[in-house]
Amino acid sequence: MKKHLLFFSFIACIFLYAQESVTKKYLAEDNITSAKNFSKEYIENVLSKKYTLRTIGDPESNNYDIEYTVEDKLGFAIILINYDFRANDFTLKLKSLNYESKINGKVMPVTSNSTDQWISEYYDNTKKLLLTLHSDYIAPDLNE
């Protein structure tokens, strides 16, 4: 029984990790340099229009984080994404998504499992913009 429970916990962790990240291979004509350039272009032309950006680490390296912040009248959403570029593929990982209240300073994690529909929708839409669409811009699926 313990082995089954441990196995299902392991599978749940893998499933959760898979939901929080996107890994893709570069297109045949692309490489790590072109992928990083596509990523930079998407950040500058799309994401910087919506978010305030703060790079953590060296963006010229192959592994760094970017903190995205967006403000509304009640507080701030703070999103941390990891960019990991390797020889043949890359991973974009959502490390955290939190909301900080201006009213009481309280920080609450935002997840897709929230009981509030608008919070889970915000999470899903943020993940789509910062992970799915961004990775598609870097390495589009040519079979779609």
Side-chain angles (χ1 to χ4, degrees):
M1 180 69 172
K2 280 187 176 178
K3 286 183 182 178
H4 286 40
L5 185 57
L6 184 61
F7 175 73
F8 287 120
S9 297
F10 177 72
I11 296 299
C13 287
I14 290 173
F15 182 67
L16 182 62
Y17 178 79
Q19 288 182 327
E20 306 304 325
S21 67
V22 174
T23 299
K24 285 186 148 184
K25 291 190 178 297
Y26 305 129
L27 297 179
E29 64 275 2
D30 290 333
N31 58 36
I32 194 168
T33 303
S34 59
K36 287 171 64 174
N37 287 336
F38 287 134
S39 179
K40 183 179 177 183
E41 189 175 280
Y42 185 83
I43 290 167
E44 289 174 353
N45 294 327
V46 177
L47 300 178
S48 69
K49 306 281 190 255
K50 179 175 176 69
Y51 299 100
T52 301
L53 311 172
R54 182 173 72 95
T55 303
I56 302 167
D58 181 5
E60 299 301 317
S61 73
N62 295 336
N63 190 318
Y64 58 93
D65 296 337
I66 296 181
E67 180 183 83
Y68 296 91
T69 306
V70 63
E71 181 178 358
D72 63 20
K73 64 182 179 180
L74 299 176
F76 304 89
I78 303 162
I79 305 122
L80 187 61
I81 303 290
N82 175 257
Y83 296 82
D84 186 12
F85 295 92
R86 294 173 297 278
N88 298 313
D89 65 4
F90 66 95
T91 298
L92 306 181
K93 180 181 179 189
L94 176 60
K95 292 176 83 172
S96 66
L97 173 49
N98 297 304
Y99 188 81
E100 183 176 340
S101 171
K102 289 181 184 177
I103 298 166
N104 60 15
K106 192 174 185 178
V107 176
M108 96 176 169
V110 177
T111 69
S112 62
N113 300 331
S114 174
T115 55
D116 291 325
Q117 182 179 357
W118 74 270
I119 292 175
S120 60
E121 286 177 1
Y122 180 79
Y123 178 87
D124 291 340
N125 289 335
T126 300
K127 192 172 74 170
K128 181 178 180 181
L129 179 64
L130 292 172
L131 297 183
T132 308
L133 296 176
H134 194 162
S135 67
D136 288 346
Y137 189 85
I138 297 168
D141 185 358
L142 300 177
N143 295 324
E144 290 184 356

